[in-house]
mmCIF file of all heavy atoms in Angstrom:
data_model
loop_
_atom_site.group_PDB
_atom_site.id
_atom_site.type_symbol
_atom_site.label_atom_id
_atom_site.label_comp_id
_atom_site.label_asym_id
_atom_site.label_seq_id
_atom_site.Cartn_x
_atom_site.Cartn_y
_atom_site.Cartn_z
ATOM 1 N N THR R 49 20.513 -34.538 3.094
ATOM 2 C CA THR R 49 21.861 -34.491 2.546
ATOM 3 C C THR R 49 22.874 -34.787 3.648
ATOM 4 O O THR R 49 22.827 -34.160 4.706
ATOM 5 C CB THR R 49 22.143 -33.100 1.949
ATOM 6 O OG1 THR R 49 21.124 -32.780 1.002
ATOM 7 C CG2 THR R 49 23.503 -33.079 1.262
ATOM 8 N N PRO R 50 23.785 -35.730 3.452
ATOM 9 C CA PRO R 50 24.754 -36.075 4.498
ATOM 10 C C PRO R 50 25.551 -34.860 4.973
ATOM 11 O O PRO R 50 25.926 -34.004 4.170
ATOM 12 C CB PRO R 50 25.657 -37.097 3.809
ATOM 13 C CG PRO R 50 24.773 -37.733 2.791
ATOM 14 C CD PRO R 50 23.892 -36.632 2.283
ATOM 15 N N THR R 51 25.754 -34.774 6.260
ATOM 16 C CA THR R 51 26.579 -33.799 6.998
ATOM 17 C C THR R 51 25.943 -32.417 7.189
ATOM 18 O O THR R 51 26.422 -31.647 8.017
ATOM 19 C CB THR R 51 27.975 -33.565 6.350
ATOM 20 O OG1 THR R 51 27.864 -32.696 5.234
ATOM 21 C CG2 THR R 51 28.624 -34.870 5.956
ATOM 22 N N VAL R 52 24.876 -32.093 6.464
ATOM 23 C CA VAL R 52 24.411 -30.695 6.456
ATOM 24 C C VAL R 52 23.812 -30.243 7.781
ATOM 25 O O VAL R 52 23.850 -29.054 8.103
ATOM 26 C CB VAL R 52 23.406 -30.443 5.314
ATOM 27 C CG1 VAL R 52 24.068 -30.678 3.958
ATOM 28 C CG2 VAL R 52 22.143 -31.292 5.465
ATOM 29 N N LEU R 53 23.267 -31.162 8.564
ATOM 30 C CA LEU R 53 22.732 -30.773 9.873
ATOM 31 C C LEU R 53 23.833 -30.699 10.916
ATOM 32 O O LEU R 53 23.803 -29.841 11.802
ATOM 33 C CB LEU R 53 21.628 -31.744 10.311
ATOM 34 C CG LEU R 53 20.400 -31.762 9.409
ATOM 35 C CD1 LEU R 53 19.330 -32.690 9.978
ATOM 36 C CD2 LEU R 53 19.828 -30.359 9.219
ATOM 37 N N TYR R 54 24.815 -31.578 10.800
ATOM 38 C CA TYR R 54 25.993 -31.429 11.654
ATOM 39 C C TYR R 54 26.612 -30.049 11.427
ATOM 40 O O TYR R 54 26.919 -29.329 12.380
ATOM 41 C CB TYR R 54 27.027 -32.519 11.388
ATOM 42 C CG TYR R 54 28.331 -32.204 12.079
ATOM 43 C CD1 TYR R 54 28.530 -32.528 13.422
ATOM 44 C CD2 TYR R 54 29.348 -31.502 11.409
ATOM 45 C CE1 TYR R 54 29.693 -32.171 14.076
ATOM 46 C CE2 TYR R 54 30.515 -31.140 12.059
ATOM 47 C CZ TYR R 54 30.682 -31.481 13.391
ATOM 48 O OH TYR R 54 31.836 -31.106 14.044
ATOM 49 N N ASN R 55 26.804 -29.690 10.181
ATOM 50 C CA ASN R 55 27.466 -28.419 9.856
ATOM 51 C C ASN R 55 26.732 -27.215 10.417
ATOM 52 O O ASN R 55 27.365 -26.272 10.927
ATOM 53 C CB ASN R 55 27.564 -28.265 8.332
ATOM 54 C CG ASN R 55 28.549 -29.215 7.708
ATOM 55 O OD1 ASN R 55 29.439 -29.733 8.367
ATOM 56 N ND2 ASN R 55 28.385 -29.477 6.412
ATOM 57 N N ALA R 56 25.393 -27.234 10.340
ATOM 58 C CA ALA R 56 24.610 -26.052 10.691
ATOM 59 C C ALA R 56 24.090 -26.058 12.116
ATOM 60 O O ALA R 56 23.890 -24.992 12.713
ATOM 61 C CB ALA R 56 23.422 -25.909 9.733
ATOM 62 N N MET R 57 23.887 -27.253 12.711
ATOM 63 C CA MET R 57 23.152 -27.326 13.975
ATOM 64 C C MET R 57 23.916 -28.011 15.109
ATOM 65 O O MET R 57 23.438 -28.023 16.240
ATOM 66 C CB MET R 57 21.803 -28.023 13.748
ATOM 67 C CG MET R 57 20.904 -27.292 12.756
ATOM 68 S SD MET R 57 19.319 -28.140 12.455
ATOM 69 C CE MET R 57 18.513 -27.940 14.061
ATOM 70 N N ILE R 58 25.083 -28.596 14.805
ATOM 71 C CA ILE R 58 25.913 -29.204 15.852
ATOM 72 C C ILE R 58 27.265 -28.494 15.952
ATOM 73 O O ILE R 58 27.685 -28.065 17.028
ATOM 74 C CB ILE R 58 26.127 -30.708 15.598
ATOM 75 C CG1 ILE R 58 24.794 -31.451 15.681
ATOM 76 C CG2 ILE R 58 27.118 -31.287 16.614
ATOM 77 C CD1 ILE R 58 24.116 -31.398 17.030
ATOM 78 N N HIS R 59 27.951 -28.354 14.837
ATOM 79 C CA HIS R 59 29.289 -27.756 14.842
ATOM 80 C C HIS R 59 29.332 -26.394 15.525
ATOM 81 O O HIS R 59 30.279 -26.113 16.301
ATOM 82 C CB HIS R 59 29.817 -27.646 13.410
ATOM 83 C CG HIS R 59 31.250 -27.227 13.335
ATOM 84 N ND1 HIS R 59 31.628 -25.907 13.206
ATOM 85 C CD2 HIS R 59 32.403 -27.947 13.394
ATOM 86 C CE1 HIS R 59 32.942 -25.822 13.172
ATOM 87 N NE2 HIS R 59 33.436 -27.041 13.286
ATOM 88 N N PRO R 60 28.340 -25.505 15.317
ATOM 89 C CA PRO R 60 28.407 -24.201 15.975
ATOM 90 C C PRO R 60 28.268 -24.259 17.499
ATOM 91 O O PRO R 60 28.566 -23.278 18.177
ATOM 92 C CB PRO R 60 27.212 -23.439 15.368
ATOM 93 C CG PRO R 60 26.874 -24.163 14.116
ATOM 94 C CD PRO R 60 27.194 -25.596 14.384
ATOM 95 N N LEU R 61 27.810 -25.398 18.024
ATOM 96 C CA LEU R 61 27.623 -25.527 19.471
ATOM 97 C C LEU R 61 28.898 -25.970 20.182
ATOM 98 O O LEU R 61 28.996 -25.878 21.402
ATOM 99 C CB LEU R 61 26.507 -26.530 19.770
ATOM 100 C CG LEU R 61 25.178 -26.313 19.027
ATOM 101 C CD1 LEU R 61 24.194 -27.397 19.416
ATOM 102 C CD2 LEU R 61 24.616 -24.930 19.314
ATOM 103 N N ILE R 62 29.846 -26.474 19.434
ATOM 104 C CA ILE R 62 31.090 -26.980 19.992
ATOM 105 C C ILE R 62 32.052 -25.809 20.206
ATOM 106 O O ILE R 62 32.184 -24.964 19.317
ATOM 107 C CB ILE R 62 31.726 -28.013 19.030
ATOM 108 C CG1 ILE R 62 30.739 -29.169 18.773
ATOM 109 C CG2 ILE R 62 33.037 -28.541 19.558
ATOM 110 C CD1 ILE R 62 31.134 -30.068 17.615
ATOM 111 N N PRO R 63 32.685 -25.677 21.377
ATOM 112 C CA PRO R 63 32.810 -26.642 22.472
ATOM 113 C C PRO R 63 31.998 -26.275 23.715
ATOM 114 O O PRO R 63 32.499 -26.413 24.835
ATOM 115 C CB PRO R 63 34.295 -26.576 22.769
ATOM 116 C CG PRO R 63 34.609 -25.094 22.592
ATOM 117 C CD PRO R 63 33.709 -24.608 21.486
ATOM 118 N N TYR R 64 30.772 -25.778 23.575
ATOM 119 C CA TYR R 64 29.946 -25.465 24.743
ATOM 120 C C TYR R 64 29.855 -26.705 25.628
ATOM 121 O O TYR R 64 29.461 -27.773 25.172
ATOM 122 C CB TYR R 64 28.550 -25.027 24.303
ATOM 123 C CG TYR R 64 27.748 -24.343 25.379
ATOM 124 C CD1 TYR R 64 27.774 -22.961 25.509
ATOM 125 C CD2 TYR R 64 26.961 -25.070 26.259
ATOM 126 C CE1 TYR R 64 27.036 -22.306 26.491
ATOM 127 C CE2 TYR R 64 26.219 -24.433 27.250
ATOM 128 C CZ TYR R 64 26.256 -23.060 27.356
ATOM 129 O OH TYR R 64 25.522 -22.417 28.330
ATOM 130 N N SER R 65 30.204 -26.572 26.878
ATOM 131 C CA SER R 65 30.324 -27.734 27.767
ATOM 132 C C SER R 65 28.955 -28.343 28.058
ATOM 133 O O SER R 65 28.029 -27.638 28.475
ATOM 134 C CB SER R 65 31.002 -27.341 29.077
ATOM 135 O OG SER R 65 32.331 -26.950 28.840
ATOM 136 N N ILE R 66 28.840 -29.644 27.855
ATOM 137 C CA ILE R 66 27.595 -30.363 28.104
ATOM 138 C C ILE R 66 27.887 -31.619 28.906
ATOM 139 O O ILE R 66 28.988 -32.170 28.856
ATOM 140 C CB ILE R 66 26.878 -30.743 26.785
ATOM 141 C CG1 ILE R 66 27.767 -31.631 25.902
ATOM 142 C CG2 ILE R 66 26.443 -29.505 26.021
ATOM 143 C CD1 ILE R 66 27.096 -32.142 24.635
ATOM 144 N N ARG R 67 26.881 -32.056 29.678
ATOM 145 C CA ARG R 67 27.005 -33.319 30.397
ATOM 146 C C ARG R 67 26.830 -34.490 29.450
ATOM 147 O O ARG R 67 27.508 -35.506 29.548
ATOM 148 C CB ARG R 67 25.961 -33.382 31.508
ATOM 149 C CG ARG R 67 25.799 -34.774 32.141
ATOM 150 C CD ARG R 67 27.058 -35.263 32.800
ATOM 151 N NE ARG R 67 27.299 -34.574 34.059
ATOM 152 C CZ ARG R 67 28.352 -34.793 34.829
ATOM 153 N NH1 ARG R 67 29.266 -35.671 34.454
ATOM 154 N NH2 ARG R 67 28.514 -34.130 35.961
ATOM 155 N N GLY R 68 25.875 -34.350 28.513
ATOM 156 C CA GLY R 68 25.621 -35.459 27.606
ATOM 157 C C GLY R 68 24.554 -35.124 26.587
ATOM 158 O O GLY R 68 24.124 -33.972 26.441
ATOM 159 N N VAL R 69 24.125 -36.173 25.893
ATOM 160 C CA VAL R 69 23.179 -36.053 24.788
ATOM 161 C C VAL R 69 22.014 -36.994 25.042
ATOM 162 O O VAL R 69 22.199 -38.128 25.486
ATOM 163 C CB VAL R 69 23.849 -36.435 23.447
ATOM 164 C CG1 VAL R 69 22.849 -36.391 22.294
ATOM 165 C CG2 VAL R 69 25.051 -35.527 23.167
ATOM 166 N N ILE R 70 20.793 -36.526 24.741
ATOM 167 C CA ILE R 70 19.661 -37.432 24.595
ATOM 168 C C ILE R 70 19.205 -37.365 23.138
ATOM 169 O O ILE R 70 19.186 -36.301 22.529
ATOM 170 C CB ILE R 70 18.513 -37.140 25.577
ATOM 171 C CG1 ILE R 70 18.002 -35.702 25.447
ATOM 172 C CG2 ILE R 70 18.951 -37.436 26.998
ATOM 173 C CD1 ILE R 70 16.747 -35.441 26.274
ATOM 174 N N TRP R 71 18.850 -38.512 22.591
ATOM 175 C CA TRP R 71 18.686 -38.669 21.139
ATOM 176 C C TRP R 71 17.450 -39.524 20.849
ATOM 177 O O TRP R 71 17.269 -40.582 21.456
ATOM 178 C CB TRP R 71 19.951 -39.340 20.602
ATOM 179 C CG TRP R 71 19.957 -39.764 19.162
ATOM 180 C CD1 TRP R 71 19.659 -40.997 18.666
ATOM 181 C CD2 TRP R 71 20.329 -38.963 18.028
ATOM 182 N NE1 TRP R 71 19.817 -41.022 17.304
ATOM 183 C CE2 TRP R 71 20.232 -39.788 16.879
ATOM 184 C CE3 TRP R 71 20.737 -37.644 17.869
ATOM 185 C CZ2 TRP R 71 20.526 -39.334 15.595
ATOM 186 C CZ3 TRP R 71 21.032 -37.189 16.595
ATOM 187 C CH2 TRP R 71 20.928 -38.019 15.481
ATOM 188 N N TYR R 72 16.601 -39.045 19.953
ATOM 189 C CA TYR R 72 15.428 -39.820 19.513
ATOM 190 C C TYR R 72 15.394 -39.708 17.993
ATOM 191 O O TYR R 72 15.005 -38.697 17.440
ATOM 192 C CB TYR R 72 14.159 -39.267 20.142
ATOM 193 C CG TYR R 72 12.946 -40.183 20.065
ATOM 194 C CD1 TYR R 72 11.904 -40.032 20.970
ATOM 195 C CD2 TYR R 72 12.820 -41.188 19.119
ATOM 196 C CE1 TYR R 72 10.771 -40.849 20.932
ATOM 197 C CE2 TYR R 72 11.711 -42.015 19.069
ATOM 198 C CZ TYR R 72 10.685 -41.836 19.982
ATOM 199 O OH TYR R 72 9.570 -42.644 19.933
ATOM 200 N N GLN R 73 15.817 -40.779 17.327
ATOM 201 C CA GLN R 73 15.928 -40.767 15.872
ATOM 202 C C GLN R 73 16.053 -42.198 15.395
ATOM 203 O O GLN R 73 16.413 -43.098 16.150
ATOM 204 C CB GLN R 73 17.154 -39.940 15.442
ATOM 205 C CG GLN R 73 17.291 -39.633 13.960
ATOM 206 C CD GLN R 73 17.936 -40.766 13.171
ATOM 207 O OE1 GLN R 73 18.674 -41.573 13.720
ATOM 208 N NE2 GLN R 73 17.669 -40.815 11.880
ATOM 209 N N GLY R 74 15.770 -42.433 14.134
ATOM 210 C CA GLY R 74 15.937 -43.762 13.556
ATOM 211 C C GLY R 74 14.868 -44.101 12.535
ATOM 212 O O GLY R 74 15.091 -44.921 11.645
ATOM 213 N N GLU R 75 13.710 -43.460 12.658
ATOM 214 C CA GLU R 75 12.622 -43.758 11.727
ATOM 215 C C GLU R 75 13.044 -43.536 10.272
ATOM 216 O O GLU R 75 12.630 -44.289 9.379
ATOM 217 C CB GLU R 75 11.393 -42.878 12.047
ATOM 218 C CG GLU R 75 10.809 -43.098 13.429
ATOM 219 C CD GLU R 75 11.388 -42.166 14.489
ATOM 220 O OE1 GLU R 75 12.517 -41.656 14.287
ATOM 221 O OE2 GLU R 75 10.708 -41.948 15.508
ATOM 222 N N SER R 76 13.874 -42.529 10.028
ATOM 223 C CA SER R 76 14.286 -42.214 8.657
ATOM 224 C C SER R 76 15.430 -43.079 8.150
ATOM 225 O O SER R 76 15.867 -42.916 7.011
ATOM 226 C CB SER R 76 14.693 -40.732 8.557
ATOM 227 O OG SER R 76 13.564 -39.892 8.713
ATOM 228 N N ASN R 77 15.913 -43.993 8.977
ATOM 229 C CA ASN R 77 16.987 -44.898 8.562
ATOM 230 C C ASN R 77 16.550 -46.349 8.506
ATOM 231 O O ASN R 77 17.388 -47.245 8.334
ATOM 232 C CB ASN R 77 18.184 -44.786 9.513
ATOM 233 C CG ASN R 77 18.974 -43.508 9.331
ATOM 234 O OD1 ASN R 77 18.666 -42.494 9.947
ATOM 235 N ND2 ASN R 77 19.988 -43.530 8.478
ATOM 236 N N ASP R 78 15.243 -46.611 8.638
ATOM 237 C CA ASP R 78 14.818 -48.002 8.794
ATOM 238 C C ASP R 78 15.083 -48.845 7.557
ATOM 239 O O ASP R 78 15.330 -50.041 7.661
ATOM 240 C CB ASP R 78 13.331 -48.085 9.178
ATOM 241 C CG ASP R 78 12.399 -47.773 8.021
ATOM 242 O OD1 ASP R 78 12.555 -46.702 7.398
ATOM 243 O OD2 ASP R 78 11.518 -48.600 7.727
ATOM 244 N N LYS R 79 15.096 -48.244 6.384
ATOM 245 C CA LYS R 79 15.346 -49.027 5.167
ATOM 246 C C LYS R 79 16.813 -49.431 5.033
ATOM 247 O O LYS R 79 17.154 -50.287 4.223
ATOM 248 C CB LYS R 79 14.922 -48.227 3.926
ATOM 249 C CG LYS R 79 13.437 -47.861 3.883
ATOM 250 C CD LYS R 79 12.554 -49.100 3.871
ATOM 251 C CE LYS R 79 11.094 -48.754 3.649
ATOM 252 N NZ LYS R 79 10.523 -47.945 4.744
ATOM 253 N N LYS R 80 17.676 -48.794 5.822
ATOM 254 C CA LYS R 80 19.099 -49.139 5.829
ATOM 255 C C LYS R 80 19.549 -49.452 7.255
ATOM 256 O O LYS R 80 20.582 -48.977 7.727
ATOM 257 C CB LYS R 80 19.932 -47.999 5.237
ATOM 258 C CG LYS R 80 19.688 -47.776 3.748
ATOM 259 C CD LYS R 80 20.645 -46.754 3.169
ATOM 260 C CE LYS R 80 20.465 -46.612 1.664
ATOM 261 N NZ LYS R 80 21.420 -45.640 1.073
ATOM 262 N N ALA R 81 18.752 -50.282 7.926
ATOM 263 C CA ALA R 81 19.029 -50.584 9.327
ATOM 264 C C ALA R 81 20.359 -51.295 9.509
ATOM 265 O O ALA R 81 21.057 -51.083 10.509
ATOM 266 C CB ALA R 81 17.894 -51.423 9.905
ATOM 267 N N ARG R 82 20.722 -52.150 8.565
ATOM 268 C CA ARG R 82 22.015 -52.839 8.690
ATOM 269 C C ARG R 82 23.161 -51.834 8.675
ATOM 270 O O ARG R 82 24.119 -51.956 9.449
ATOM 271 C CB ARG R 82 22.184 -53.854 7.556
ATOM 272 C CG ARG R 82 23.451 -54.691 7.699
ATOM 273 C CD ARG R 82 23.499 -55.805 6.689
ATOM 274 N NE ARG R 82 23.634 -55.317 5.320
ATOM 275 C CZ ARG R 82 23.709 -56.098 4.245
ATOM 276 N NH1 ARG R 82 23.620 -57.407 4.387
ATOM 277 N NH2 ARG R 82 23.835 -55.589 3.046
#
């Protein structure tokens, strides 16, 4: 469901200071790669 992981798993972490992000994702979007 759009936004639900941002709401529960990213938003509560803000504004904890971070240097950056590492990200491994994309397999679940391959049918809409464009």
Side-chain angles (χ1 to χ4, degrees):
T49 306
T51 79
V52 298
L53 297 184
Y54 169 84
N55 290 339
M57 299 179 68
I58 296 297
H59 188 267
L61 309 179
I62 302 167
Y64 195 92
S65 295
I66 59 175
R67 168 62 74 181
V69 177
I70 57 172
W71 173 265
Y72 195 157
Q73 190 277 335
E75 298 92 337
S76 291
N77 286 88
D78 74 306
K79 299 299 187 296
K80 293 187 176 182
R82 185 172 67 180

